Amino acid sequence: RRFDYRPETDPYCQARYTFCPTGSAIPVMKEEDVIEVYRLQAPVWEFKYGDLLGHLKIMHDAVGFKSSLTGKNYTMEWYELFQLGNCTFPHLRPGMAAPFWCNQGAACFYEGIDDAHWKENGTLVLVTTISGTMFNEMAQWVKYDNETGIYYETWTVQGSPDKKSTVWFDSYECSKFILRTYQKLADLGAVFKKIQTNYTSIILFSGEPVYLGNETSIFGPQGNKTLAAAIRDFYNPFKPHQSVREFFVDLFKIIDRVILNHQFYLFYNLEYWFLPMKSPYLKIIYEEVPLPVGSKASFGV
């Protein structure tokens, strides 16, 4: 779903790590430039935990560019403004009936490619070359995509592990931005190398979701107080924890609700849904998504 504008962020929403600290505007390239495009992938939080999450195949994706005319490198990625936890679960604030969400994602563009970051535990590989004209057209698309696709969605929700299973909800995170960027470049004429490309998805397994309503219809003056209490009660164990004991007590609550009672409340595009959870409940997969084939005259490798 696309939105008309990006809302102002609430001062309550604070990130532990600054979003896009060295970000810059996307430059205008000369039409005759030839620009190398690189696939970048590294374990999530590699800067803090090294390859730890890489062993679980929880990976972060980005795309790199190198101008042949200037020799300059650039990195472009898409991630959460307020870290993953805030995008995945809300805050339950005193005096506020509805859960409060600090959830936005956005593109970040900056000069340079941190070779060590991407190479050491991940991937830095050339996937295609494009013209300066194609790069500039892609930049206009990025602006549109960034202004209208604003909410981070952690979960993919589908009916079963079967590859042909119904996908109830699709995630909207870093890898999906990279896939959209590749597809845009292919549509503009880029020809991609034939290499295997895999991406991480975090999947919830559910029967057919039940629509519950939006914030106003559930938590407003005329809302459903029983449902509102159930949603708040569900999200409570996911709050940040101050002690190990608190964490394990709430972990048992989560297991009880999600696995034993088959319940999950999903907030997706500003609407609440009930998911009747089913085995295997949650799975992290790292599966191949082929590089795209374009529809225009070719340019590139």
Side-chain angles (χ1 to χ4, degrees):
R1 176 179 169 184
R2 294 281 162 182
F3 293 86
D4 294 334
Y5 64 95
R6 181 178 290 275
E8 291 292 320
T9 57
D10 192 293
Y12 178 86
C13 299
Q14 297 293 324
R16 179 172 294 182
Y17 303 105
T18 304
F19 174 81
C20 203
T22 60
S24 59
I26 302 179
V28 177
M29 299 294 191
K30 291 187 176 179
E31 294 180 2
E32 66 273 20
D33 203 347
V34 176
I35 296 159
E36 295 177 339
V37 181
Y38 292 88
R39 176 174 186 252
L40 309 177
Q41 188 176 69
V44 169
W45 294 339
E46 190 265 352
F47 67 93
K48 187 173 183 181
Y49 299 115
D51 194 30
L52 178 64
L53 293 175
H55 293 298
L56 301 173
K57 296 300 182 185
I58 302 178
M59 308 295 282
H60 174 67
D61 297 274
V63 60
F65 303 97
K66 181 177 181 180
S67 163
S68 63
L69 285 182
T70 67
K72 288 185 176 180
N73 296 326
Y74 302 93
T75 300
M76 185 169 72
E77 51 191 327
W78 196 94
Y79 59 100
E80 326 89 45
L81 267 65
F82 310 109
Q83 270 76 71
L84 182 60
N86 282 324
C87 291
T88 309
F89 299 107
H91 294 261
L92 302 178
R93 297 175 64 180
M96 294 183 68
F100 183 83
W101 292 86
C102 292
N103 180 8
Q104 284 191 39
C108 175
F109 188 95
Y110 53 94
E111 187 172 337
I113 296 177
D114 184 350
D115 286 24
H117 170 72
W118 302 107
K119 280 183 178 177
E120 189 170 337
N121 296 310
T123 300
L124 194 163
V125 61
L126 179 70
V127 290
T128 189
T129 58
I130 61 175
S131 68
T133 300
M134 291 160 66
F135 179 92
N136 295 335
E137 290 182 4
M138 178 209 71
Q140 290 302 309
W141 168 83
V142 169
K143 184 174 185 294
Y144 159 79
D145 186 82
N146 203 43
E147 289 174 349
T148 60
I150 55 181
Y151 293 111
Y152 190 101
E153 300 290 352
T154 302
W155 313 109
T156 294
V157 183
Q158 63 186 56
S160 77
D162 189 329
K163 285 197 173 182
K164 296 181 180 177
S165 170
T166 300
V167 176
W168 304 116
F169 299 97
D170 209 352
S171 59
Y172 198 86
E173 27 71 4
C174 64
S175 69
K176 295 297 167 56
F177 173 75
I178 300 306
L179 290 168
R180 292 196 303 277
T181 301
Y182 288 161
Q183 186 60 60
K184 181 64 179 179
L185 290 176
D187 291 343
L188 291 170
V191 178
F192 285 86
K193 289 175 173 286
K194 291 178 171 58
I195 58 173
Q196 183 169 333
T197 52
N198 289 56
Y199 301 90
T200 301
S201 290
I202 305 177
I203 302 176
L204 300 177
F205 297 101
S206 165
E208 185 169 355
V210 178
Y211 176 69
L212 301 176
N214 58 27
E215 181 177 306
T216 302
S217 67
I218 298 171
F219 299 95
Q222 307 302 315
N224 183 329
K225 288 184 170 51
T226 303
L227 177 58
I231 293 174
R232 287 180 61 90
D233 191 48
F234 172 80
Y235 283 130
N236 187 60
F238 294 97
K239 64 184 180 296
H241 294 88
Q242 302 301 317
S243 71
V244 174
R245 181 183 177 279
E246 280 183 343
F247 170 78
F248 280 106
V249 167
D250 282 340
L251 179 62
F252 283 118
K253 289 180 184 176
I254 292 166
I255 292 170
D256 177 67
R257 288 165 194 180
V258 175
I259 296 177
L260 301 182
N261 289 308
H262 312 289
Q263 297 177 342
F264 196 99
Y265 289 95
L266 178 72
F267 188 61
Y268 191 93
N269 278 342
L270 306 181
E271 296 175 324
Y272 285 93
W273 297 77
F274 175 77
L275 305 182
M277 298 293 287
K278 61 186 194 180
S279 181
Y281 306 104
L282 182 147
K283 191 174 183 180
I284 298 171
I285 65 169
Y286 186 66
E287 66 177 358
E288 182 179 7
V289 180
L291 288 162
V293 176
S295 57
K296 277 194 172 186
S298 300
F299 178 95
V301 178

